[in-house]
Amino acid sequence: MQEEPLIEADHLLAESAGQGGIRRVFVKTYGCQMNVYDSERMADALAGEGYRTTESPDDADLLLLNTCHIREKAAEKVYSELGRIRQLKEARAAEGRTLMVGVAGCVAQAEGQEIIRRAPIVDLVIGPQTYHRLPQAIARARSGEKVVETEYAIEDKFDHLPAPDTKIVAARGVTAFLTVQEGCDKFCTFCVVPYTRGSEVSRPVSRIVDEARRLVAGGVREITLLGQNVNAWHGVGDDGREWGLGELLYRLAQMDGLERLRYTTSHPRDMDDGLIAAHRDLEKLMPYLHLPVQSGSDNVLKAMNRRHTSEDYLRLIDRIRQARPDIALSGDFIVGFPGETEDDFEATLRLVDTVRYAQAFSFKYSPRPGTPGADRSDHVPEDVKSRRLERLQSMLRSHQQQFAEQCVGTVMDILLEKPGRKEGQLIGRSPWLQPVIVDAKSSQIGDIVRVRITRAGTNSLFADHWQDIAPIETVRSSTT
Ligand code: SAH
Ligand code: SF4
Ligand code: F3S
């Protein structure tokens, strides 16, 4: 998994202009996995209009930034990227060619018109709820209009976005994201997501199953269900009853060819018995759970409007670990929320020491305009935030390293995903989401193979060939 939920991935697509010259588009993705998914769906929408892929942003004549607004640095990154793009656009204009620039994602939704004011080179601003209108928006921008599409659409974008094409899916690899739920009604007082993504919407079971089938037909072996509050997903199932995420997972686990299931991100309040039972029963559901707690202090949790205590969280973790003893936990933490005292922070360290996360992401609180946290008068000084973050991260790092080291000598099944850096090596994923490097042929990409872990590096594990390896039952017990 990436260093933090904010990731940058480049998605390259090209636009073919039929009989004439080739037009190209470059999509750069910031932010969470939902943005990665959305970038792919925008690519699918453009593919339906005749767009094709290319390798280089330099020869793109449409550039799309799919942005994130979660912390200040995230939005600032976009503005500095737009500064660099301005030079590219000017250089292009000097050659008598045009470069169209679009901003999508959560900064687009939050800032709207302001983006065009601050960066007049931008031709098109489109919010996450209107991606199905992207082809028309591009056509309008091409005719010279400055387009801002940030109204929440009445129609559901998922009903109007084209389904992924099997050939395109195959080119993207053996793992895929599938958004099942979008938006958030929780309104944690630090967070912009309810404002940028709107209120919670769940996609229906039949649509999710259809999309999963297409992914599997394109060679996908592992699907991660996505949602800002994925475990709040609910929808009418095959039997006419309202299902929760647990039932959806049971349904997907029946699909031949789909070998691994994951989901992210979950809220502690929405982990119901059905979902915990799915972890107990489903071999295909990987024993890894991202369950952010943000803080270990009840005062801070209350001020954050998380609507649970640290005790509730710890009890929940006990129940989950009883259901699936080898489950690894991952979490998110914010240090320096307004009013956080040294004692509050110590409570976070205590919680971390109790849970022992296999993986974690931690951030200094960043005031987001329009959120209740930003209006408070008791902000924590930057140097205090930095000191706390350093202490927290050093504890989290040591737990993560211990978790990796515990894996050495154990046997596990890994999904081979992509070529490694060295010739003759592939990178696979452990059930616990760790990258595992092993000697293997590229024809084996997509295979699930049994390996023995020989060494733990800082961010990945190294493994041996899998011949003569013990049966799967020993895998679970040897890693708990
Ligand atoms: N829906 C998820 C969180 C999505 S945002 C959940 O409820 O857990 C991803 C992470 O970014 C959050 O878990 C939080 O740790 C961090 N984050 C969100 N807003 C932030 C802010 N204003 N400052 C610092 N970190 C923030
Ligand atoms: Fe943000 Fe809270 Fe919603 Fe997560 S649950 S997206 S942190 S408001
Ligand atoms: Fe960022 Fe929006 Fe995701 S703010 S974290 S891209 S939901």
Side-chain angles (χ1 to χ4, degrees):
M1 193 159 174
Q2 60 277 1
E3 214 34 46
E4 50 164 343
L6 287 187
I7 57 167
E8 286 187 21
D10 293 341
H11 296 264
L12 301 164
L13 347 160
E15 175 186 350
S16 152
Q19 303 288 318
I22 303 242
R23 289 202 204 100
R24 296 169 200 281
V25 59
F26 173 70
V27 183
K28 182 160 185 168
T29 308
Y30 301 82
C32 61
Q33 291 95 331
M34 300 200 66
N35 263 12
V36 175
Y37 175 83
D38 283 346
S39 288
E40 290 180 350
R41 301 312 304 275
M42 284 193 271
D44 295 339
L46 293 173
E49 303 290 307
Y51 288 67
R52 299 264 166 80
T53 52
T54 184
E55 294 297 314
S56 167
D58 286 332
D59 55 18
D61 52 2
L62 169 60
L63 234 147
L64 268 181
L65 301 184
N66 192 7
T67 63
C68 172
H69 203 50
I70 201 82
R71 282 168 291 274
E72 195 175 353
K73 250 176 39 198
E76 284 315 309
K77 265 192 204 162
V78 172
Y79 282 111
S80 47
E81 183 74 30
L82 286 172
R84 284 192 290 276
I85 292 170
R86 189 177 135 204
Q87 292 172 353
L88 195 63
K89 186 161 175 156
E90 284 167 358
R92 216 43 92 65
E95 295 166 12
R97 291 163 60 208
T98 51
L99 173 64
M100 203 177 338
V101 180
V103 178
C106 291
V107 177
Q109 187 63 44
E111 304 257 293
Q113 192 74 40
E114 174 68 8
I115 295 177
I116 293 179
R117 200 192 61 79
R118 255 181 92 171
I121 56 135
V122 172
D123 303 287
L124 163 74
V125 174
I126 187 159
Q129 264 49 259
T130 41
Y131 291 155
H132 54 297
R133 298 188 190 155
L134 183 63
Q136 296 90 313
I138 287 174
R140 279 162 60 205
R142 190 161 287 136
S143 66
E145 192 184 335
K146 291 274 184 195
V147 180
V148 179
E149 277 271 14
T150 51
E151 290 297 312
Y152 287 132
I154 302 160
E155 71 273 19
D156 181 354
K157 73 167 174 187
F158 292 112
D159 287 346
H160 290 80
L161 277 166
D165 179 272
T166 313
K167 279 203 204 87
I168 297 179
V169 168
R172 285 178 185 153
V174 297
T175 63
F177 293 135
L178 199 176
T179 293
V180 299
Q181 179 276 337
E182 187 158 20
C184 181
D185 298 334
K186 296 273 190 305
F187 289 93
C188 301
T189 54
F190 53 81
C191 186
V192 290
V193 171
Y195 310 95
T196 60
R197 292 276 173 167
S199 51
E200 273 179 32
V201 177
S202 290
R203 294 179 69 191
V205 175
S206 58
R207 296 293 171 116
I208 296 166
V209 170
D210 280 354
E211 192 167 324
R213 269 206 205 101
R214 276 175 180 271
L215 291 171
V216 172
V220 166
R221 312 291 308 277
E222 172 180 306
I223 292 181
T224 303
L225 304 181
L226 297 181
Q228 266 93 20
N229 275 291
V230 71
N231 56 350
W233 177 89
H234 57 95
V236 176
D238 301 343
D239 53 6
R241 276 190 315 107
E242 177 102 334
W243 286 6
L245 188 68
E247 283 155 304
L248 180 63
L249 287 163
Y250 280 94
R251 173 72 185 82
L252 291 171
Q254 291 166 3
M255 196 174 285
D256 286 339
L258 178 53
E259 300 301 335
R260 287 183 162 192
L261 288 164
R262 303 179 186 274
Y263 60 92
T264 198
T265 293
S266 298
H267 192 287
R269 279 187 55 108
D270 295 320
M271 281 308 293
D272 63 18
D273 291 345
L275 188 49
I276 296 175
H279 278 287
R280 182 195 60 210
D281 297 342
L282 299 177
E283 218 27 70
K284 288 184 179 180
L285 181 57
M286 291 296 101
Y288 181 93
L289 175 63
H290 185 61
L291 194 64
V293 66
Q294 316 297 354
S295 167
S297 152
D298 290 343
N299 293 335
V300 175
L301 287 170
K302 191 156 193 279
M304 286 176 165
N305 191 32
R306 291 290 290 183
R307 292 183 286 170
H308 61 78
T309 63
S310 58
E311 187 56 40
D312 295 336
Y313 182 81
L314 292 173
R315 258 202 312 262
L316 175 61
I317 298 239
D318 279 348
R319 282 169 55 218
I320 297 166
R321 282 182 165 154
Q322 267 166 28
R324 182 86 199 226
D326 64 343
I327 201 156
L329 287 152
S330 143
D332 290 344
F333 298 89
I334 295 177
V335 298
F337 185 77
E340 184 189 71
T341 64
E342 210 53 37
D343 280 354
D344 291 325
F345 175 64
E346 292 289 338
T348 300
L349 293 180
R350 278 198 301 280
L351 180 138
V352 167
D353 206 38
T354 310
V355 176
R356 307 185 80 82
Y357 292 90
Q359 173 82 268
F361 310 99
S362 46
F363 315 96
K364 286 194 264 185
Y365 170 68
S366 166
R368 309 312 292 130
T371 60
D375 293 337
R376 288 182 51 151
S377 55
D378 48 356
H379 285 275
V380 173
E382 271 313 300
D383 59 327
V384 176
K385 285 187 203 171
S386 301
R387 239 181 300 130
R388 288 182 188 165
L389 187 66
E390 223 165 90
R391 279 185 70 196
L392 174 63
Q393 288 189 335
S394 112
M395 184 183 270
L396 291 167
R397 253 196 317 271
S398 87
H399 292 170
Q400 190 173 330
Q401 192 58 29
Q402 281 167 28
F403 179 75
E405 273 153 22
Q406 276 167 24
C407 294
V408 176
T410 66
V411 170
M412 60 175 76
D413 286 356
I414 65 169
L415 170 60
L416 296 174
E417 285 184 11
K418 56 185 178 191
R421 242 183 260 149
K422 289 193 193 144
E423 187 75 19
Q425 281 186 339
L426 292 184
I427 303 177
R429 282 278 168 186
S430 81
W432 303 278
L433 215 51
Q434 301 139 298
V436 182
I437 297 162
V438 67
D439 288 345
K441 293 191 287 288
S442 57
S443 59
Q444 290 175 292
I445 289 177
D447 289 355
I448 293 176
V449 295
R450 193 154 293 175
V451 299
R452 189 191 314 272
I453 304 301
T454 53
R455 185 159 66 83
T458 344
N459 295 310
S460 40
L461 300 173
F462 294 83
D464 249 356
H465 289 280
W466 47 90
Q467 288 93 341
D468 310 322
I469 294 228
I472 189 87
E473 281 67 31
T474 59
V475 179
R476 289 268 205 97
S477 52
S478 59
T479 51
T480 48

